[in-house]
Amino acid sequence: MNTGPAEGPGKRSGLRLAILAGAGEYPAHVARNARAAGAEVYVAALSGAANIADFPGCDAQEYRLGQLGRLLDALKRREVTDIVMIGALPRPSFGALAPELSTLKYLPHFARAFQGGDDHLLRGVVSFFEGQGFRVGSPAEMAPEIVAPLGALGRTVPASVARDALLRGFDLLAALSPFDIGQGAVIADHRVIAVEAAEGTDAMLERVATLVRAGRLKLGKGDGVLVKAPKHGQDLRVDMPAIGPDTVARVAEAGLAGIAVRAGGVLVGDRARLAAQADAAGIFIEGVS
Amino acid sequence: MNTGPAEGPGKRSGLRLAILAGAGEYPAHVARNARAAGAEVYVAALSGAANIADFPGCDAQEYRLGQLGRLLDALKRREVTDIVMIGALPRPSFGALAPELSTLKYLPHFARAFQGGDDHLLRGVVSFFEGQGFRVGSPAEMAPEIVAPLGALGRTVPASVARDALLRGFDLLAALSPFDIGQGAVIADHRVIAVEAAEGTDAMLERVATLVRAGRLKLGKGDGVLVKAPKHGQDLRVDMPAIGPDTVARVAEAGLAGIAVRAGGVLVGDRARLAAQADAAGIFIEGVS
């Protein structure tokens, strides 16, 4: 927090915030919260991922990745000081950037960032905006209520078999951290069933559902946990793992008992709605410290 | 080697070996080799996995898992001293064992073994046969030529991008070892693309092919490696990772540059045939120390 009075509504007054918005509902959450706190919000919606119609009342424009030069001009014209990047992005291919003339000069910075894992790419994006004089903030700071709290989100709590599984799962994710993967895994039947890498959480959960349907995984009562956590050293400003209604639906469909997330380290969006959905499905969502 | 003269053909003469045969071609390889070396071979073909027709000239019978008591009687009648377990098994469900009366008394031993990862289950099987007085040997000892040698199996060798990837892959598998998974992973595009858990290597390779087809993974020339290695402390007598013609075909289909295996730690079956297939597909198979 670098502006305005420290407490109460209006604590962000005077803040000129740009939200670089990807897909999903999180960008709109952050925009609403920041505006409610008094910030002036400009939304740069990534073409094909976010839609400016989801930001009613906001100053919002759509950009392609190749329009970075144009975006910088808009940010400077609006005297934006802070940037938050939020929402899902398809991993872009460098060749498909289709840069405009005003963007070409920035390409060398990104050419290197593309040579590596997602972490590396996102660090490159953060360092780029910081190099242009912006502060890059975390969505959790702008909208703390969209992050997983400690303990059960709904009424269901993990049984002891699931508690054992989730602890093993967090250990596994920690071991995977140095390899720039390891945001998700499924533990059930006293073993590691699936590890998430480039395919993403949804595809991993579908795989688990397939194993269950094929009889290759038998789930006892209360067994089966999806674990999600940030990597050690992950930059939570730009790369916080997330769960949402789709995750809950897929976990329920796979027959798993619940979801365990690192408290304070995973986006959950609208907590009350997610809790209600989990309760209805009979699955737990547990924030673990 | 616990029997017979140490050198040359006939070095296994006097050895009474039982091969507990699962699916695939490895059991027949081991049977041929052991017989060529002079051993008396009895084949217990696991029903639904192995077929006694694949062991011409061998004393061979088919067994269900639930016929363990009957199997033990047969082994003792034949004065079998050594056992080799080889070939792929579907992970059995304890409930589906359908034990015969003569098998019931052995069930408590296995009930515990079923509570854990594959490692744990296989250790339970080994300790069971050892407890019955048999020596459990390794397939590699009976047929060393079916294990991956050091260096290139065919004419193709990994480019430097693939060499970097395979080293990273072996590091990843080592980190996964304590979690009773980690026999396979795919590294490409300077990142970890897929990690194998309960789905198996084939399903993992299909997933990678899907990512490539969807444009979510771009493979540069010479890039993309499947790595396979045993876990630290893995009992190579009963649980050696394996590659075969299917693996080579799927690696080629996914567009990967090659396969890296731990030399001496991964079954490759008929080396010459696999090398010819890899050469025809233009992929490398590299044994790494």
Side-chain angles (χ1 to χ4, degrees):
Chain A
M1 310 182 192
N2 60 352
T3 58
E7 296 297 323
K11 64 184 174 178
R12 304 275 180 207
S13 69
L15 178 67
R16 291 169 186 276
L17 175 70
I19 298 175
L20 309 193
E25 60 181 20
Y26 299 131
H29 272 292
V30 173
R32 267 197 304 277
N33 268 274
R35 291 183 78 208
E40 271 185 56
V41 174
Y42 174 61
V43 176
L46 184 73
S47 190
N51 192 326
I52 58 172
D54 295 332
F55 302 89
C58 280
D59 179 12
Q61 286 181 301
E62 202 171 298
Y63 291 91
R64 288 188 298 102
L65 285 178
Q67 295 178 316
L68 182 61
R70 185 183 295 214
L71 169 63
L72 283 175
D73 291 344
L75 298 181
K76 285 168 182 167
R77 231 176 11 251
R78 284 168 178 81
E79 298 179 345
V80 161
T81 54
D82 288 57
I83 288 177
V84 162
M85 290 183 257
I86 176 85
L89 296 185
R91 184 179 165 92
S93 99
F94 191 66
L97 284 181
E100 290 184 347
L101 204 59
S102 62
T103 299
L104 281 178
K105 63 179 165 189
Y106 304 119
L107 284 190
H109 180 93
F110 290 99
R112 256 177 305 117
F114 266 86
Q115 302 279 318
D118 289 349
D119 256 18
H120 193 243
L121 179 56
L122 287 163
R123 273 197 301 273
V125 173
V126 169
S127 73
F128 173 80
F129 282 108
E130 287 178 339
Q132 295 291 320
F134 301 101
R135 180 179 169 279
V136 178
S138 110
E141 177 191 0
M142 293 294 161
E145 68 281 11
I146 68 173
V147 177
L150 193 63
L153 199 64
R155 285 190 307 270
T156 312
V157 294
S160 72
V161 60
R163 204 163 277 285
D164 289 348
L166 71 86
L167 292 176
R168 190 171 180 183
F170 283 124
D171 285 348
L172 171 68
L173 297 187
L176 288 169
S177 264
F179 298 93
D180 197 5
I181 55 167
Q183 298 195 118
V186 172
I187 319 290
D189 191 26
H190 307 276
R191 56 196 173 112
V192 179
I193 302 302
V195 179
E196 177 184 345
E199 77 277 20
T201 307
D202 287 355
M204 176 180 64
L205 288 170
E206 266 183 41
R207 180 158 90 241
V208 174
T210 303
L211 290 170
V212 171
R213 277 194 299 267
R216 289 175 62 193
L217 168 62
K218 312 273 192 213
L219 290 165
K221 193 171 156 52
D223 189 22
V225 181
L226 165 68
V227 290
K228 295 267 293 180
K231 287 163 277 195
H232 292 314
Q234 186 166 344
D235 190 338
L236 297 183
R237 292 177 300 171
V238 286
D239 188 24
M240 205 178 234
I243 62 168
D246 270 9
T247 321
V248 172
R250 281 174 196 273
V251 162
E253 167 141 350
L256 303 178
I259 305 171
V261 294
R262 188 64 74 195
V266 175
L267 292 168
V268 297
D270 186 330
R271 284 184 188 177
R273 195 190 55 185
L274 207 66
Q277 188 196 358
D279 287 346
I283 74 162
F284 67 81
I285 301 178
E286 180 83 2
V288 178
S289 65
Chain B
M1 309 183 189
N2 61 350
T3 58
E7 296 298 324
K11 63 185 175 179
R12 304 275 181 208
S13 68
L15 177 68
R16 292 170 185 275
L17 175 71
I19 297 175
L20 310 193
E25 61 180 19
Y26 298 131
H29 271 292
V30 173
R32 266 197 305 276
N33 268 274
R35 291 182 77 207
E40 272 187 55
V41 174
Y42 174 60
V43 175
L46 183 73
S47 190
N51 193 326
I52 57 172
D54 294 332
F55 303 89
C58 280
D59 178 12
Q61 285 181 302
E62 200 172 300
Y63 292 91
R64 286 188 299 102
L65 284 178
Q67 295 178 316
L68 182 62
R70 184 183 297 213
L71 169 62
L72 283 175
D73 290 344
L75 298 181
K76 284 167 184 169
R77 227 171 20 247
R78 284 168 177 81
E79 297 179 344
V80 160
T81 54
D82 288 57
I83 289 177
V84 162
M85 290 183 256
I86 176 86
L89 296 183
R91 184 179 164 92
S93 99
F94 191 67
L97 282 181
E100 290 183 348
L101 205 59
S102 61
T103 300
L104 281 177
K105 63 180 164 188
Y106 305 119
L107 284 190
H109 179 93
F110 290 99
R112 255 177 306 118
F114 266 86
Q115 302 281 319
D118 289 348
D119 256 19
H120 193 242
L121 178 56
L122 287 164
R123 273 195 302 271
V125 173
V126 169
S127 73
F128 174 81
F129 283 108
E130 287 178 339
Q132 296 291 319
F134 300 101
R135 181 179 169 279
V136 178
S138 113
E141 179 190 1
M142 293 296 161
E145 67 283 10
I146 69 172
V147 176
L150 193 63
L153 199 65
R155 284 191 309 270
T156 312
V157 294
S160 72
V161 60
R163 203 163 278 285
D164 290 348
L166 70 86
L167 292 176
R168 189 171 181 182
F170 283 126
D171 285 347
L172 170 69
L173 297 186
L176 287 169
S177 264
F179 298 94
D180 197 5
I181 54 167
Q183 297 195 119
V186 172
I187 318 289
D189 191 25
H190 307 277
R191 55 196 174 113
V192 179
I193 301 302
V195 179
E196 177 183 344
E199 77 277 18
T201 307
D202 286 356
M204 176 180 64
L205 288 171
E206 267 183 40
R207 180 158 91 242
V208 173
T210 303
L211 290 169
V212 171
R213 277 194 297 268
R216 290 175 61 192
L217 168 62
K218 313 275 191 209
L219 291 165
K221 193 171 155 53
D223 189 21
V225 180
L226 165 67
V227 290
K228 296 267 294 180
K231 287 163 276 197
H232 292 315
Q234 185 168 344
D235 191 337
L236 297 183
R237 293 177 300 171
V238 286
D239 188 24
M240 207 178 232
I243 62 169
D246 271 9
T247 321
V248 172
R250 282 173 196 273
V251 161
E253 167 142 348
L256 302 177
I259 304 171
V261 293
R262 188 64 74 195
V266 176
L267 292 168
V268 297
D270 185 331
R271 284 183 188 178
R273 196 190 54 186
L274 207 65
Q277 188 195 358
D279 286 346
I283 75 163
F284 66 80
I285 301 177
E286 181 82 2
V288 178
S289 65

